[in-house]
Amino acid sequence: MKYKLLYSFLLFISFLSVKAQLLTLDDCVQKALELNYGIQIAKNSENISRVSLKSYSVFLPAVYGTASYNNTYRSGTQVGANGDEITLKNASSLNSGASVNLNWRIFDGLSMFFTNSKNKALLDISTLNTVLEIEQLIANVCAAYYNVWIQTKLLEASENIVDISKQRFSIANSKYQIGSISGLEYRQSKIDLNADSSMFMLQQQALTTAYISLNKLMNSDLTKENYVQDTLVLLPLFNYKEIVDSALHQNTSLLIFQKGIRLSELDVKNSLSQFFPMVDFSTGYQFSYAKSPASFSVQNQSHGLYWGFTARIPIFSRMENLRNNRIAKYELQNAELQYKDVELNVLSALAELYNIYRNNHKLLGFEMENVDITSETLEIAIEKYRIGTLSGVEFREFQRAYIEAVKRLMNASYQAKVSEIGLQLLSGKLK
């Protein structure tokens, strides 16, 4: 038909004009990963954990220096043992000193080793949280990208309907002028054209909204449009048992909760370290100087090196150590239960999503066939309406059948693709 050829030509010209600006799905995902604020925050959190791990502060000694200077003035009377009386007026007393000290905990019931292991586990969790954020962003970008594609196809179908309604109105107008149809049918064709034009405008709005959602994920210009290039292609049907096995071993949320169990195990071990003695080693160099005219020793100066060990042995701590150990064991049990709960939720979501995914795969064949049939029928209907063997009401039903078939096809395609992405996300295969 002429309008289809014209539309294809205009679409081709439009493609040539924006070719340099088109973005593939991979382009959009890459841009989102580089600019999305959520990813930047997750990476910074991971870097914080990495800095904490690399400090090794729990194994290292603490070295610090101190310095003091005090000058006091005193007035008064002192009586010595021999009965001599000394009167002081604004007598100056000077005390000053400096030292360099090193304190090193050399044994704490292995708590320092458990703390270092916890830092490693926390880094693993931060890394997995970054991965989870990236996976979720990729899934969101894919869904938003394909939503733009769906809304574009619906807009094309809506424009097609408007073109056909314009033809119908033109035919009805010609017939009305020569008196072969009533004014009622003529006015109805105008009402249907206006309704289809309104639907077209609403679909333009839906497409713009879809582009805004995609631009937001990429932290891009929110008004940018007409750059989606890829088409929607479904992967071969997934095997349910394979994705379940993959989810149990690769799902990022499950991996995070596994690390949570590891943290709780380390807390239990760390609580046992409170039952062991702690041994500290200290050493340093001190210098002191004192001057006081009101003292038997008018001036005193000393310096020297010192070192020693200090042991703190827990004998009775009001049952705090035992209480902390019991709490840590309960927290370990909670961590294990939380993992099982998350595992159940993942498997449940996987089963529900796979059911939607499989059904939409089945629906696609029927809906594609329906679109082909309704499209061919619509072409025949416009010719029959032109020659007067089909009424306007009957023709309108063919139009509605076509647009509804297109909507069902697009919905089934989108749901199948989104559920496919969701299955990849839950099974840890979304890359």
Side-chain angles (χ1 to χ4, degrees):
M1 296 175 65
K2 290 183 179 179
Y3 72 89
K4 284 193 172 182
L5 293 175
L6 177 61
Y7 175 73
S8 299
F9 175 75
L10 292 175
L11 186 63
F12 177 71
I13 296 299
S14 175
F15 173 79
L16 291 179
S17 64
V18 300
K19 184 175 180 181
Q21 302 174 358
L22 294 179
L23 297 176
T24 65
L25 176 59
D26 288 342
D27 295 332
C28 293
V29 168
Q30 186 62 35
K31 190 172 183 180
L33 292 176
E34 292 173 357
L35 301 177
N36 185 270
Y37 292 130
I39 298 300
Q40 296 179 42
I41 293 172
K43 288 182 177 179
N44 284 338
S45 298
E46 180 182 347
N47 289 332
I48 291 172
S49 298
R50 184 170 286 106
V51 170
S52 299
L53 175 62
K54 290 184 177 180
S55 66
Y56 298 105
S57 59
V58 293
F59 298 110
L60 301 177
V63 180
Y64 57 93
T66 60
S68 64
Y69 179 87
N70 295 294
N71 199 349
T72 60
Y73 296 90
R74 293 187 299 168
S75 298
T77 301
Q78 292 182 352
V79 179
N82 56 4
D84 295 338
E85 184 177 291
I86 302 176
T87 301
L88 303 174
K89 186 176 182 180
N90 292 328
S92 175
S93 297
L94 175 65
N95 288 278
S96 62
S99 66
V100 178
N101 310 283
L102 180 147
N103 291 327
W104 192 1
R105 179 155 293 175
I106 58 178
F107 182 75
D108 60 355
L110 302 180
S111 177
M112 65 182 71
F113 295 98
F114 298 140
T115 300
N116 186 62
S117 297
K118 283 185 63 177
N119 288 337
K120 291 180 180 178
L122 289 171
L123 175 58
D124 292 338
I125 291 176
S126 295
T127 302
L128 289 171
N129 280 327
T130 302
V131 172
L132 185 63
E133 192 77 24
I134 289 174
E135 288 177 342
Q136 190 61 61
L137 178 62
I138 292 175
N140 291 339
V141 171
C142 291
Y145 189 93
Y146 288 123
N147 184 42
V148 169
W149 185 87
I150 291 293
Q151 299 304 327
T152 301
K153 293 302 177 184
L154 288 174
L155 183 64
E156 292 174 2
S158 180
E159 187 174 11
N160 191 8
I161 287 296
V162 171
D163 290 340
I164 293 175
S165 291
K166 286 179 179 179
Q167 289 189 58
R168 176 195 170 192
F169 176 71
S170 177
I171 295 171
N173 184 44
S174 299
K175 290 182 177 181
Y176 176 69
Q177 295 298 328
I178 63 176
S180 61
I181 62 172
S182 66
L184 181 62
E185 184 172 336
Y186 165 72
R187 284 190 290 272
Q188 186 61 47
S189 67
K190 181 60 175 177
I191 292 173
D192 292 339
L193 174 59
N194 289 339
D196 292 338
S197 298
S198 297
M199 184 178 67
F200 175 73
M201 293 180 65
L202 291 175
Q203 187 55 45
Q204 285 181 318
Q205 177 181 317
L207 178 58
T208 298
T209 301
Y211 266 113
I212 291 173
S213 299
L214 180 57
N215 291 332
K216 179 183 177 182
L217 291 171
M218 297 189 296
N219 194 15
S220 181
D221 180 10
L222 296 178
T223 61
K224 187 177 179 181
E225 294 187 21
N226 302 322
Y227 58 81
V228 168
Q229 176 182 4
D230 287 348
T231 186
L232 190 152
V233 178
L234 294 174
L235 298 174
L237 192 66
F238 295 149
N239 179 275
Y240 181 68
K241 185 178 182 302
E242 290 179 357
I243 62 172
V244 168
D245 291 341
S246 178
L248 292 175
H249 294 91
Q250 299 183 47
N251 180 272
T252 307
S253 296
L254 291 179
L255 294 176
I256 290 174
F257 277 87
Q258 285 179 359
K259 293 297 180 181
I261 293 176
R262 173 60 178 162
L263 281 176
S264 296
E265 290 174 345
L266 290 170
D267 284 336
V268 172
K269 293 179 180 179
N270 196 29
S271 67
L272 295 175
S273 65
Q274 300 174 11
F275 294 95
F276 292 86
M278 288 187 295
V279 180
D280 293 327
F281 170 74
S282 60
T283 184
Y285 186 86
Q286 292 180 329
F287 169 81
S288 64
Y289 174 79
K291 180 180 179 182
S292 177
S295 174
F296 291 104
S297 177
V298 177
Q299 179 175 317
N300 186 16
Q301 177 177 316
S302 65
H303 61 88
L305 180 70
Y306 76 91
W307 64 273
F309 293 91
T310 302
R312 191 180 71 177
I313 303 173
I315 298 176
F316 182 73
S317 60
R318 297 175 296 181
M319 309 296 289
E320 285 294 315
N321 295 346
L322 184 61
R323 184 179 68 86
N324 291 337
N325 179 253
R326 288 178 177 176
I327 291 175
K329 289 181 178 179
Y330 282 122
E331 289 178 345
L332 174 58
Q333 292 178 9
N334 283 341
E336 293 171 344
L337 292 172
Q338 287 174 348
Y339 174 81
K340 292 180 180 179
D341 184 54
V342 173
E343 181 183 68
L344 179 61
N345 290 334
V346 168
L347 294 178
S348 175
L350 203 60
E352 293 178 6
L353 200 56
Y354 188 82
N355 184 48
I356 297 172
Y357 166 74
R358 182 182 56 191
N359 287 340
N360 279 285
H361 258 266
K362 293 178 180 179
L363 287 174
L364 278 174
F366 300 117
E367 298 303 342
M368 290 177 67
E369 186 178 358
N370 285 340
V371 169
D372 290 339
I373 294 173
T374 54
S375 178
E376 294 174 0
T377 304
L378 189 57
E379 292 184 10
I380 297 172
I382 190 66
E383 294 301 325
K384 286 188 174 184
Y385 182 76
R386 191 189 307 275
I387 63 178
T389 59
L390 191 69
S391 69
V393 174
E394 292 173 318
F395 177 78
R396 186 62 177 171
E397 290 302 316
F398 286 115
Q399 273 187 303
R400 289 174 178 169
Y402 168 73
I403 195 64
E404 290 301 321
V406 172
K407 287 181 178 179
R408 290 195 304 271
L409 175 61
M410 292 299 101
N411 181 67
S413 300
Y414 184 68
Q415 291 300 326
K417 191 62 182 179
V418 169
S419 55
E420 176 186 279
I421 295 168
L423 290 174
Q424 289 178 302
L425 177 64
L426 289 174
S427 61
K429 291 184 176 181
L430 187 62
K431 304 299 181 184

